[in-house]
């Protein structure tokens, strides 16, 4: 029935659309001008700034509590609550244009009862543009055609992946030495010695867990020197702080993020074979693990086995609004009814910062009452309970980190004849020393060796995951809630992380039926929604990390879990249908009844096929990986094409009138890579949360390159729901490329076509209005 609707819509517009073909280029290596915000009052200039006299306590984890422009205090609060910037992060990323003392003197001269207009003038006169403390620099050693392109069959995907490969040049930065000032000005930037790759948008500095998927992409792009620099920066952080902060700004140093450094280090060595980095990296990696042990772990008695297990949680010492989210945090805390006392305020500020440390800021995973108000996040955020949650993904990651670190110690010993000793067992943060191992053999059997210690820690965290987080009845992993002393019922992609980190329950190791139960929720979601099935949660709350948002890291980690199952079952069966109805999902796994799930709007499915021909006949773990990779690349490509993307000589840009239909197009754009996607709408970006969806985007690019490199040989041509892509041949005839439908007698083009664009191969897209599609769907 879908092909009838498609053909009807196509025939009515093809003759017009095929005549309006313009070509643009999506590839640019020129520097992107830095766009800076000018303070602008949204209320009369003489309006007093709210909150004066009610300031937070000094935060000693921000510049040791000293008076600065970007740490919580009188100046920061007055500027932020004046409301002169729509994004709280803008101001704290602005360097001063004079010394800190001069800036503070100018602020103090404003006196008491400061007005919004005074604050606006103060910022105008004393601050430079945000982000000017970093310079965009040209890419060096760019590889125009990395080997992964040879693995991509479809010509459009192949050319588009090449464009994504070039996007690194838009995100490469180095510290602007002139902005450091040597005391002549002040900046929140943590100056770094090596080139950085930033996520993009408001995230104009290095970030910790983003870098895990950025480095994945850099390795696929064969930009090994930039991957090396990224790792060096992470090691510099550990050298200075003993851990890796959330990001490269001084206001981030009160917290970390999911500990990905060892994962990045291992990925780099596996691809490059360069082990010279280990001499410096191993002691620092041990030091980071020691920081997590000293600051984020504790023992907990399992209600299921009565055993005491080693667990971890996110927990930030903080009693003030986050500088980069000051207005949002302040309104969340001070808007509570009944009002919070000082102790309760401090606790909620701590929970807000802890949610940011988790990387999932914010999600129903962390709240006691998530479904309070979809249009207003604050009621749910006031029920944050992050510190009481033992996150399944954090436990799994720490187990995997320690296991990889043990292997890296062995690798170093075997490759050099030396053993880097570790003081990890002493519970201190002291620097490791290098000890001679004349045998040059593995140290893993030596109970005093670092490898032995880290394998013990890996096992301890693995045991905790299997005890507290694995639910054999529901066949999924869940967070553990210490408040209720029970597992959470929130189903999320975090439950795939144990398999990613090779933590496998015995039930799944020798029972393919049980393994299929584990993926039953994934199979249902594959058929339920047209977008990426690894949706952050199934609860529609309006929070940044909840439905309908699908995030690149979740796609990667979910496929890695499928790959683990593929290794467990190398002769896995093939399935006639990968998708299943709700009734066949493991009972209770999804945590919600089918009637409570958000619907898939018919108007956004369009021409999307919920199962691809390329996955048929494959063992089910591989088939699921192909389907998920296809959905992700489709979402990234279609949202890029919907925002002005084009490929010279191959794919024309949509007409301006149709680009505007997305609501996210800005004049002059040539395709946007969003930070997250919409599980129900392949053409659109994700949404919700305390800031607008960002573009750039580092981890999106990285996962595109990874998925294309790993699964490109299986990819059909892209199919965008409301944007059929038509092949325009040299003789002017046209055929539908994406689904095999034959138009005007030119015949269909088989999926999996390889090769580069030629003069006789040109594609054009056009948008079918959603109301037209819905009307046609209703009629048929």
């Amino acid at each position: 029935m879908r092909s009838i609707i498609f053909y009807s819509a196509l025939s009515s517009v093809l003759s017009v659309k095929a005549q309006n073909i313009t070509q643009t280029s999506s590839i640019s290596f020129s520097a992107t001008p830095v766009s800076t915000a000018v303070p602008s009052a949204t209320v009369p200039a003489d309006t007093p700034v709210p909150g004066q006299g009610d300031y937070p306590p000094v935060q000693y984890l921000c510049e040791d509590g000293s008076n600065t422009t970007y740490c919580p205090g009188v100046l920061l609060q007055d500027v932020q609550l004046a409301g002169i910037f729509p994004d709280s992060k803008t101001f704290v990323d602005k360097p001063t244009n004079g010394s800190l003392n001069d800036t503070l003197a100018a602020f103090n001269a404003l006196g008491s009862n400061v007005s919004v207009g005074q604050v606006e003038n103060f910022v105008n006169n004393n601050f430079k543009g945000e982000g000017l403390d970093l310079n965009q620099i040209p890419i060096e050693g760019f590889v125009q055609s990395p080997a992964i392109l040879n693995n991509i069959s479809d010509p459009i995907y192949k050319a588009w992946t090449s464009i994504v490969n070039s996007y690194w040049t838009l995100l490469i930065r180095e510290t602007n030495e002139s902005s450091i000032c040597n005391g002549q000005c002040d900046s929140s930037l943590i100056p770094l010695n090596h080139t950085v790759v930033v996520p993009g948008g408001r995230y104009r500095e290095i970030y910790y867990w983003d870098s895990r998927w950025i480095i994945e992409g850099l390795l696929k792009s064969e930009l090994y020197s930039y991957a090396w620099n990224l790792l060096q920066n992470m090691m510099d952080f550990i050298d200075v702080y003993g851990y890796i902060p959330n990001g490269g700004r001084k206001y981030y140093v009160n917290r970390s993020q999911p500990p990905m450094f060892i994962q990045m280090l291992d990925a780099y060595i596996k691809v490059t074979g360069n082990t010279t980095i280990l001499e410096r990296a191993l002691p620092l990696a041990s030091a980071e693990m020691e920081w997590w042990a000293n600051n984020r772990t504790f023992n907990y008695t399992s209600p299921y086995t009565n055993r005491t297990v080693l667990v971890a949680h996110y927990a930030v010492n903080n009693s003030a609004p986050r500088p980069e989210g000051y207005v949002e945090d302040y309104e969340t805390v001070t808007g509570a009814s009944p009002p919070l006392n000082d102790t309760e305020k401090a606790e909620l500020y701590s929970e807000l910062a802890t949610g940011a440390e988790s990387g999932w800021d914010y999600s129903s995973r962390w709240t006691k009452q998530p479904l309070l108000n979809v249009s207003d996040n604050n009621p749910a955020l006031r029920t944050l309970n992050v510190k009481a949650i033992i996150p399944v993904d954090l436990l799994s990651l720490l187990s995997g980190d320690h296991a990889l670190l043990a292997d890296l110690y062995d690798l170093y010993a075997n490759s050099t004849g030396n053993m880097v000793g570790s003081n990890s067992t002493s519970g201190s943060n002291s620097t490791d020393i290098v000890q001679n191992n004349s045998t040059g053999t593995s140290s893993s059997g030596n109970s005093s060796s670092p490898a032995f210690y880290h394998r013990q820690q890996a096992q301890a965290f693995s045991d905790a995951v299997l005890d507290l987080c694995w639910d054999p009845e529901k066949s999924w992993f869940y967070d553990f809630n210490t408040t209720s002393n029970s597992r959470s019922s929130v189903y999320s992609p975090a439950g795939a992380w144990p398999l990613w980190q090779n933590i496998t329950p015995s039930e799944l190791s020798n029972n393919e039926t049980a393994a299929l139960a584990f993926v039953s929720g994934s199979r249902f979601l594959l058929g339920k929604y047209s977008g990426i099935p690894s949706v952050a949660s199934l609860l529609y709350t309006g929070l940044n990390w909840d439905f309908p948002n699908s995030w690149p890291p979740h796609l990667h980690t979910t496929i890695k879990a499928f790959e683990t199952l593929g290794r467990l079952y190398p002769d896995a069966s093939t399935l006639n249908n990968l998708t299943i109805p709700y009734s066949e999902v493991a009972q209770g796994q999804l945590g919600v009844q089918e009637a409570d799930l958000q619907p898939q709007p018919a108007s956004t499915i369009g021409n999307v096929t919920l199962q691809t021909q390329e996955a048929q006949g494959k063992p089910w773990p591989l088939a699921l990986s192909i389907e998920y990779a296809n959905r992700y690349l489709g979402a990234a490509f279609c949202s890029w094409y919907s925002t002005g993307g084009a490929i010279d000589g191959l794919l024309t840009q949509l007409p301006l009138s149709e680009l505007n239909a997305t609501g996210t197009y800005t004049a002059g754009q040539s395709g946007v890579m969003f930070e997250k996607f919409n599980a129900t709408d392949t053409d659109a970006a994700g949404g919700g949360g305390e800031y607008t969806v960002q573009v750039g985007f580092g981890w999106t690019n990285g996962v595109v390159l990874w998925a294309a490199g790993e699964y490109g040989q299986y990819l059909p041509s892209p199919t965008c729901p409301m944007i059929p892509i038509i092949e325009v041949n040299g003789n002017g005839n046209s055929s539908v490329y994406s689904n095999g439908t034959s138009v005007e007698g030119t015949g269909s083009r088989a999926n999996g076509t390889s090769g580069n664009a030629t003069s006789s191969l040109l594609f054009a897209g056009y948008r079918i209005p959603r109301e037209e599609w819905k009307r046609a769907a209703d009629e048929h």
Side-chain angles (χ1 to χ4, degrees):
M1 193 65 67
R2 180 173 298 155
S3 62
I4 296 174
I5 300 170
F6 177 83
Y7 189 90
S8 174
L10 171 64
S11 61
S12 65
V13 296
L14 179 60
S15 60
V16 176
K17 300 300 177 185
Q19 295 170 12
N20 294 309
I21 297 174
T22 58
Q23 297 189 43
T24 63
S25 173
S26 302
I27 302 177
S28 173
F29 293 96
S30 58
T32 305
V34 177
S35 177
T36 59
V38 176
S40 177
T42 57
V43 296
D46 59 356
T47 304
V49 174
Q52 294 184 66
D54 181 22
Y55 299 105
V58 172
Q59 303 300 300
Y60 291 98
L61 291 177
C62 187
E63 289 288 45
D64 297 321
S66 60
N67 194 7
T68 65
T69 62
Y70 46 81
C71 291
V74 177
L75 186 154
L76 180 60
Q77 178 162 306
D78 284 355
V79 171
Q80 296 284 39
L81 297 189
I84 56 177
F85 298 110
D87 185 346
S88 294
K89 193 174 186 300
T90 300
F91 174 67
V92 290
D93 291 355
K94 285 180 173 288
T96 64
N97 59 19
S99 70
L100 177 58
N101 288 338
D102 290 342
T103 306
L104 296 176
F107 177 76
N108 292 332
L110 301 180
S112 59
N113 198 27
V114 177
S115 71
V116 170
Q118 286 177 297
V119 170
E120 182 181 357
N121 290 333
F122 163 72
V123 174
N124 255 328
N125 295 332
N126 291 279
F127 290 85
K128 303 175 188 177
E130 65 276 11
L132 294 180
D133 37 24
L134 286 165
N135 287 330
Q136 183 180 355
I137 58 173
I139 196 168
E140 295 181 0
F142 176 66
V143 181
Q144 183 74 45
S145 299
I148 62 166
L149 297 182
N150 297 327
N151 197 42
I152 304 170
S153 300
D154 179 74
I156 294 180
Y157 267 140
K158 184 173 186 176
W160 173 66
T161 302
S162 180
I163 291 173
V164 175
N165 178 56
S166 75
Y167 283 165
W168 295 123
T169 196
L170 305 176
L171 302 175
I172 293 173
R173 304 285 187 273
E174 68 178 5
T175 301
N176 182 349
E177 296 294 335
S178 64
S179 72
I180 298 177
C181 312
N182 296 319
Q184 298 308 305
C185 71
D186 194 35
S187 166
S188 64
L189 183 74
I190 300 174
L192 293 172
N193 298 320
H194 307 277
T195 305
V196 303
V197 181
V198 303
R202 75 198 289 263
Y203 301 113
R204 50 184 70 92
E205 53 282 312
I206 193 172
Y207 281 81
Y208 186 6
W209 84 314
D210 290 68
S211 296
R212 169 64 183 85
W213 290 279
I214 287 174
I215 203 171
E216 195 76 55
L218 293 174
L219 293 172
K220 291 296 187 186
S221 295
E222 300 172 24
L223 295 174
Y224 304 129
S225 64
Y226 288 97
W228 173 274
N229 285 335
L230 188 156
L231 292 169
Q232 294 293 331
N233 283 320
M234 295 296 173
M235 290 188 282
D236 290 346
F237 276 136
I238 302 172
D239 258 338
V240 173
Y241 299 106
Y243 62 99
I244 299 174
N246 182 151
R249 297 271 170 189
K250 296 169 187 174
Y251 52 74
Y252 283 139
V253 299
N254 69 342
R255 61 183 187 261
S256 186
Q257 273 196 324
M260 295 285 181
F261 170 65
I262 295 169
Q263 305 281 325
M264 292 186 274
L265 180 65
D266 179 73
Y268 171 81
I269 290 174
K270 279 185 168 62
V271 170
T272 66
N274 184 356
T275 60
T276 59
I277 197 171
L278 287 176
E279 184 169 357
R280 183 187 183 205
L282 288 176
L284 292 170
S286 289
E288 189 201 18
M289 289 294 94
E290 201 69 23
W291 182 88
W292 281 89
N294 291 339
N295 295 280
R296 299 292 188 267
T297 63
F298 59 100
N299 291 318
Y300 194 80
T301 301
S302 166
Y304 308 113
T305 62
N306 204 36
R307 292 189 307 152
T308 298
V309 291
L310 177 66
V311 297
H313 66 155
Y314 298 106
V316 179
N317 183 5
N318 178 67
S319 56
R322 293 166 300 143
E324 80 285 3
Y326 204 100
V327 174
E328 296 80 4
D329 286 4
Y330 183 87
E331 291 177 349
T332 298
V333 171
T334 60
S337 181
L340 305 179
N341 61 36
D342 287 347
T343 300
E344 292 168 331
K345 288 180 179 178
E347 181 60 23
L348 184 48
Y349 282 132
S350 175
E351 289 286 346
L352 287 161
T354 300
E357 181 172 70
S358 78
W360 291 48
D361 44 342
Y362 297 96
S363 167
S364 53
R365 287 180 70 188
W366 313 130
T367 61
K368 297 176 183 176
Q369 296 175 275
L371 300 174
L372 294 177
N373 189 331
V374 171
S375 61
D376 180 4
N377 291 168
N378 286 336
L381 292 177
R382 292 178 187 126
T383 73
L384 281 173
N385 195 37
V386 194
K387 292 188 291 185
I389 302 295
I390 298 172
V392 60
D393 44 359
L394 177 60
L395 286 188
S396 302
L397 187 58
L398 286 169
S399 176
D401 284 348
H402 281 287
L404 288 177
L405 189 50
D407 290 344
L408 292 173
Y409 270 109
D410 283 346
L411 176 64
Y412 183 78
N414 289 331
S415 62
T416 66
N418 293 323
M419 180 176 68
V420 180
S422 171
N423 292 328
S424 297
T425 54
S426 68
S428 70
N429 276 317
S430 56
T431 304
D432 296 341
I433 57 174
V434 177
Q435 297 177 337
N436 183 56
N437 179 0
S438 58
T439 62
T441 59
S442 169
S443 59
S444 58
N446 180 353
S447 62
S448 64
S449 74
F452 184 88
Y453 165 76
H454 289 296
R455 287 198 172 91
Q456 281 186 319
Q457 294 299 99
Q459 189 63 53
F461 284 119
S462 176
D463 290 344
V465 170
L466 295 172
D467 190 324
L468 296 178
C469 303
W470 171 244
D471 190 320
E473 300 300 320
K474 297 180 181 179
S475 196
W476 194 252
F477 292 95
Y478 301 89
D479 297 329
F480 186 87
N481 189 328
T482 63
T483 301
S484 63
N485 197 34
S486 64
R487 295 185 189 104
S488 168
S489 62
V490 175
Y491 175 90
S492 82
W497 284 41
L499 289 189
W500 173 37
Q501 296 301 318
N502 297 306
I503 301 171
T504 308
S506 58
E507 294 93 333
L508 302 188
S509 298
N510 50 21
N511 186 332
E512 188 176 4
T513 300
L516 282 166
F518 180 82
V519 300
S520 61
S522 301
R523 294 174 65 192
F524 167 74
L525 294 173
L526 187 69
K528 173 70 174 176
Y529 298 115
S530 63
I532 304 169
S534 51
V535 61
S537 88
L538 297 176
L539 300 180
Y540 180 49
T541 65
L543 295 169
N544 192 31
W545 282 79
D546 282 349
F547 188 92
N549 294 320
S550 294
W551 296 77
H554 295 157
L555 182 281
H556 175 258
T557 54
T558 300
I559 291 181
K560 297 301 287 185
F562 296 156
E563 290 178 353
T564 296
L565 293 171
R567 290 191 295 272
L568 287 174
Y569 297 97
D571 300 317
S573 58
T574 59
L575 304 174
N576 292 331
N577 196 338
L578 273 185
T579 65
I580 57 174
Y582 180 88
S583 60
E584 294 182 21
V585 178
Q587 187 171 5
Q589 185 180 94
L590 298 180
V592 292
Q593 296 300 314
E594 185 174 18
D596 296 326
L597 290 168
Q598 292 296 308
Q600 165 65 59
S603 61
T604 60
I605 291 182
N607 195 49
V608 169
T609 301
L610 298 182
Q611 293 189 77
T612 64
Q613 180 179 355
E614 287 72 14
Q616 295 177 11
K618 304 289 192 301
W620 61 263
L622 175 58
L624 283 170
S625 298
I626 293 169
E627 293 286 5
Y628 272 56
N630 180 55
R631 292 285 185 90
Y632 176 76
L633 288 162
F637 171 85
C638 292
S639 55
W640 171 87
Y641 192 44
S642 293
T643 52
I647 305 172
D648 262 351
L650 185 64
L651 178 65
T652 65
Q653 189 182 66
L654 289 170
L656 180 60
S657 60
E658 298 183 359
L659 289 171
N660 285 339
T662 66
T664 54
Y665 178 73
T666 302
Q669 276 181 185
S670 57
V672 160
M673 301 295 285
F674 290 108
E675 64 171 334
K676 58 182 176 179
F677 302 100
N678 188 320
T680 67
D681 190 348
T682 303
D683 287 350
E690 65 187 27
Y691 59 85
T692 57
V693 65
Q694 298 298 293
V695 301
F697 199 83
W699 64 17
T700 305
N701 303 347
V703 176
V704 163
L705 293 162
W706 174 81
E710 296 294 316
Y711 294 96
Q713 72 270 35
Y714 302 112
L715 293 178
S717 54
T719 304
C720 303
M722 297 293 106
I723 312 173
I725 296 175
I726 308 303
E727 181 183 328
V728 182
N729 293 324
N731 59 9
N733 292 328
S734 303
S735 62
V736 177
Y737 178 81
S738 58
N739 73 344
T741 302
S742 177
V743 178
E744 297 187 5
T746 60
S748 62
R749 189 171 186 84
N751 286 330
T753 301
S754 61
N756 297 319
T758 68
S759 59
S760 63
L761 196 62
L762 182 66
F763 299 92
Y766 65 91
R767 185 179 298 281
I768 300 175
R770 293 189 171 183
E771 58 273 16
E772 179 180 326
W773 182 276
K774 188 176 188 305
R775 183 169 58 252
D778 291 341
E779 291 173 357
H780 289 278

